[in-house]
Amino acid sequence: MNPITRRSFLAASGIAVAFAMTRPARAQLAGGGEGGAGPIALAPALPGSLKSSPYLDSWILLDQSGRATVFSGKAELGQGIRTALTQVAAEELDLPPADVDLVTVDTLRTPDEGLTAGSHSMQDSGTAIRNAAANVRMLLLKQAAAILRVKEGDVTSMGDGTIRAGDGRRIGYGETASALSMHVEAVPDAPLRQKCQFRTMGTNLPRLDIPAKTTGGAAFIHDMRLPGMLHARVIRGPSEGTRLALPSDSEIESMDGVVKFVRNGNFAAVVAEREWNAVKLMRRLQASPYELARSPFPTGGVAETLKALPARDIVILDASKPTADPKRSVRKSFTRHWISHGSIGPSCALAWLQDDILTIWTHSQGTFDVRRVAADLLKRPIETIRAIHVEGAGCYGQNGADDVAAEAALIAASLPGRPVRLQWMREQEFGWEPLGPGMATEVDAALDGDNRIVRWNYDVWSNPHNNRPVGAGGVLVGNEVVPSFPVPEGKPIPMPEGDGSRNSNPLYDLPNMNVVYHFIKDMPIRVSALRSLGAHLNVFSIESMFDELALTAGIDPLDLRLNHMADDRARQVMLTAADAFGWRKRKKAAPLQGFGMGFARYKNLGAYCAIFMEVRVERDTGRVAVRKVQAAVDCGEVVSPNGIENQVEGAIIQSLSWCTREAAATDGTLRKNFDWSTYPILRFRDVPEHIDVIVEDQPGKPFLGVAECGQGPASAALANALADATGVRFTDMPITAEAVRSAIVTL
């Protein structure tokens, strides 16, 4: 059988206009993890991901009825991107949103836009789709004018899939498109619709992904069922670093319920007709004795552990200007523990080998990378592998999704003709997924006599956050099979994106700054990307230090920030949130009540976010009740106001969970957290009593990534509010109720 191509697939589906398969296909060879090599830029002058896939028919197709199919290489992860991208396409095509079908990342059908990560979906795909749609509308108007034999300026799109001439005659998009080739490169200056013309952008379109989630529908990959589907479970020791001593293959294959036992080197999995049978077999085999297969895990403090490892010093920022002599100085150290992703649904994947085509359904953020990993692992031509993204129940970075996709592919390759569903168990997710890296920072800053910051020395220690797999060596099964694939060497992500260094360079206007990233290649525990990467601790550290400096100077923390901020949009977002919160009028009405703020521009190139917070502390328990949170965000042109609000609210809640509860512990031999009782996350009773998000309107400004902008400011605002409430500066996350109670017991 010939390999399936996008052209043959679409032809078989009855779609008339074929995709571009020449230059965009080259871009699909690029791969790359977060911050790594992305798709090849074929047309650097074009905006967003059009740089790598410049042909219009890679992005948009119109059928004979005028209905549009729009293709995005980004994935819906619960951030609402399917809805927002539909709005963008509908607006620039001037179509009702109901007439737009959005196809998210599928290696057979969509452009390769790299990872869905780093808050890049709107910046990359939103920008590309907007400009591609504007190009298509421009071509439609020109073609309609030619068909109607009027001047180009005498035709107008009507918002309903028709174009009207000045004399009242109309022609539909479908008829117009049938006389037009979309296999042309986009131009960078196609006219965009302006805010005064908007019909769809800037409105709250109901989320397209929500109905199934709220009605018990097939919302996630876990809900997928395929005809004749088999169920698999991987057999591993209790946590990373262990290896089971399993019975012989023949003994396992003779067990009741086994359809197939798959073993390759140290990788083992059972396959059964029924899922419960696969689970029972897994439980039985996991009771086998295990041995340690790695060096001990760290059990000491985060800073102690990291600083004991060899580091490569990378100067992030070194600026020096003449200033007045420092008069008062402050030094502080901060840490964040290793953190689990805490995805509500354990990682899952489906794979099906049919007629030499292996299809993988995955909730990985790197669907094209899943394809590359499978090709490497199975030594198959990449053209014979298709990967399709299906939403998972929780993501937030590199959890076990990439691992389970590769494992499902390996198992399915041994069972041609039968689809295989593989799901990790909860304890496997906690025991084997990559963790968000532990980090440590040290800050030394000084003020002059006029309360200007004249010295800022900042050091951050971290393992790499850039371990997303682009080959078989990056997934667990690739290290277990024989011959095994070597684990890739961890490398730092260069600035301005950064990884452990992300947001270590303050946006504030400081005359003397020295920022050093102590990059630690050797990983004492398996780590990779967790939402916001190093920005979480770096913003926490910077914003905590600003409050300490304000306390030392005896001035309002907001004023200290404004006095050192030259970016007008940053100033505005702080002032907007402060005014809505009532910051200038705040008064303590009870003991152990406090107010705090945090600010950052994500990566200094994404969305601006300011958060103000009111907390009260229970003296007897140390429990922190978050009474009120006021946020303001500036993410450029607004597409979906409610979607932006939801993302910032989610960032605040997740960040509070990280800051007050989450830490992945070990006993030196095993990881210790295997369920929600041993790895606590924020519960409903501890969600802030009130959260309000103001979305700044910035008509005509470029889209800025918003999904991760709130993580750092939220934890910083909490720490600053706690310091205001208790007089104690908490510097080590998680700031648990026990830690708070111990600190205030003598107050």
Side-chain angles (χ1 to χ4, degrees), residues 185-358:
E185 291 196 29
V187 297
D189 55 353
L192 301 176
R193 290 170 60 80
Q194 301 302 303
K195 187 173 178 62
C196 62
Q197 302 171 300
F198 286 176
R199 307 180 200 271
T200 304
M201 278 175 50
T203 65
N204 287 320
L205 189 72
R207 282 271 295 270
L208 300 176
D209 60 313
I210 294 298
K213 296 174 181 175
T214 55
T215 60
F220 302 113
I221 192 169
H222 308 75
D223 304 316
M224 282 187 65
R225 296 295 183 269
L226 296 172
M229 186 172 72
L230 297 169
H231 295 271
R233 285 296 187 272
V234 175
I235 313 300
R236 286 199 175 97
S239 81
E240 174 198 358
T242 61
R243 183 166 54 228
L244 289 172
L246 293 173
S248 67
D249 290 15
S250 59
E251 182 178 343
I252 296 173
E253 288 166 352
S254 66
M255 293 178 180
D256 289 343
V258 175
V259 171
K260 189 175 183 65
F261 175 61
V262 180
R263 190 192 319 236
N264 185 330
N266 291 317
F267 175 78
V270 290
V271 184
E273 292 282 354
R274 299 176 62 85
E275 185 173 16
W276 181 235
N277 287 339
V279 172
K280 289 190 293 184
L281 288 162
M282 180 207 69
R283 294 280 188 232
R284 180 177 174 183
L285 292 170
Q286 282 192 165
S288 303
Y290 66 86
E291 62 182 2
L292 296 182
R294 54 152 294 151
S295 56
F297 288 127
T299 56
V302 176
E304 171 191 354
T305 298
L306 293 176
K307 291 181 181 181
L309 296 169
R312 173 161 65 95
D313 292 350
I314 302 170
V315 176
I316 301 299
L317 189 61
D318 190 13
S320 179
K321 295 180 182 178
T323 61
D325 292 337
K327 299 297 182 183
R328 297 178 297 278
S329 63
V330 178
R331 294 180 64 93
K332 291 289 179 183
S333 300
F334 304 88
T335 63
R336 185 191 82 166
H337 213 279
W338 286 270
I339 300 177
S340 171
H341 292 81
S343 301
I344 297 300
S347 294
C348 181
L350 285 79
W352 193 355
L353 179 59
Q354 290 179 289
D355 300 324
D356 203 39
I357 298 295
L358 177 65

Side-chain angles (χ1 to χ4, degrees), residues 524-702:
I525 197 165
R526 189 182 186 214
V527 296
S528 193
L530 175 68
R531 199 176 193 193
S532 81
L533 277 60
H536 179 234
L537 181 65
N538 286 325
V539 173
F540 178 89
S541 305
I542 292 167
E543 291 295 293
S544 294
M545 179 58 85
F546 260 78
D547 264 41
E548 286 295 297
L549 290 168
L551 180 65
T552 299
I555 63 175
D556 190 284
L558 175 60
D559 289 332
L560 183 68
R561 288 168 171 83
L562 294 173
N563 291 344
H564 292 84
M565 180 57 69
D567 187 317
D568 288 337
R569 291 172 72 175
R571 294 174 60 86
Q572 184 58 54
V573 83
M574 284 191 265
L575 290 170
T576 296
D579 290 345
F581 184 83
W583 181 259
R584 299 295 189 188
K585 300 177 182 178
R586 69 193 189 280
K587 291 182 180 178
K588 293 186 180 182
L592 296 178
Q593 178 187 19
F595 305 90
M597 69 166 292
F599 163 81
R601 182 182 186 190
Y602 186 47
K603 296 184 284 191
N604 288 356
L605 49 80
Y608 301 82
C609 183
I611 295 175
F612 289 76
M613 195 175 293
E614 176 194 346
V615 305
R616 289 192 182 179
V617 180
E618 295 178 358
R619 183 181 298 276
D620 292 340
T621 65
R623 176 177 177 264
V624 179
V626 180
R627 304 292 300 276
K628 178 181 177 181
V629 182
Q630 178 65 60
V633 61
D634 173 356
C635 57
E637 183 88 67
V638 175
V639 174
S640 172
N642 187 249
I644 296 167
E645 293 166 12
N646 289 342
Q647 281 298 283
V648 176
E649 290 172 2
I652 290 166
I653 292 170
Q654 185 179 48
S655 182
L656 292 178
S657 184
W658 291 349
C659 186
T660 62
R661 284 161 174 76
E662 297 188 40
T666 76
D667 63 6
T669 299
L670 302 175
R671 297 189 188 182
K672 293 171 62 175
N673 317 101
F674 296 103
D675 55 30
W676 298 116
S677 62
T678 55
Y679 189 87
I681 59 175
L682 202 71
R683 303 292 175 145
F684 280 107
R685 71 184 291 265
D686 295 309
V687 168
E689 296 174 22
H690 178 80
I691 303 177
D692 183 64
V693 180
I694 297 173
V695 181
E696 297 276 14
D697 196 15
Q698 294 285 4
K701 297 291 187 182

